[in-house]
Amino acid sequence: MTARRFGGYTVTELKRLRKNAADGGKFYLALLESVHDFFNLAEEAEELEAVIEKLVSALEKAADEVSAQGGNDAAVALLRDALSDPKVKKITGT
């Protein structure tokens, strides 16, 4: 997969430019050129968070239904463990 570029630089390159005061001008110009891309990424991130929240909600509901029916406790435990991952909780805010 090709690294996404912003103002002609990869994110790693931008981080290096940001840390070096002598490269401040290059960093600033790259940001100006890529501001549209950053806004698009922010919108994509919001959409992705909404999809993840909806998916987690559906999975939690399914786990509750399987538990209520006395279903596969091991599978439900694995599902609940995956849903309690800190990265998932950060997105869902739970």
Side-chain angles (χ1 to χ4, degrees):
M1 186 166 107
T2 305
R4 195 173 240 179
R5 297 182 98 49
F6 302 96
Y9 296 95
T10 65
V11 171
T12 302
E13 292 168 334
L14 284 172
K15 286 180 180 179
R16 271 191 242 123
L17 290 174
R18 181 188 67 193
K19 291 178 182 177
N20 187 349
D23 292 325
K26 290 180 189 175
F27 177 74
Y28 179 73
L29 289 175
L31 289 180
L32 283 178
E33 289 178 27
S34 59
V35 72
H36 180 72
D37 295 329
F38 285 123
F39 282 113
N40 286 340
L41 283 175
E43 288 177 12
E44 289 174 19
E46 288 176 2
E47 290 173 9
L48 183 57
E49 281 186 11
V51 168
I52 291 171
E53 287 174 354
K54 187 174 181 179
L55 178 61
V56 167
S57 177
L59 290 171
E60 287 173 339
K61 183 178 177 184
D64 290 342
E65 289 176 9
V66 169
S67 290
Q69 296 171 2
N72 188 339
D73 291 335
V76 172
L78 284 172
L79 178 57
R80 290 193 190 285
D81 185 50
L83 294 175
S84 66
D85 183 286
K87 291 178 183 175
V88 173
K89 294 228 178 256
K90 181 179 178 183
I91 291 170
T92 60
T94 60

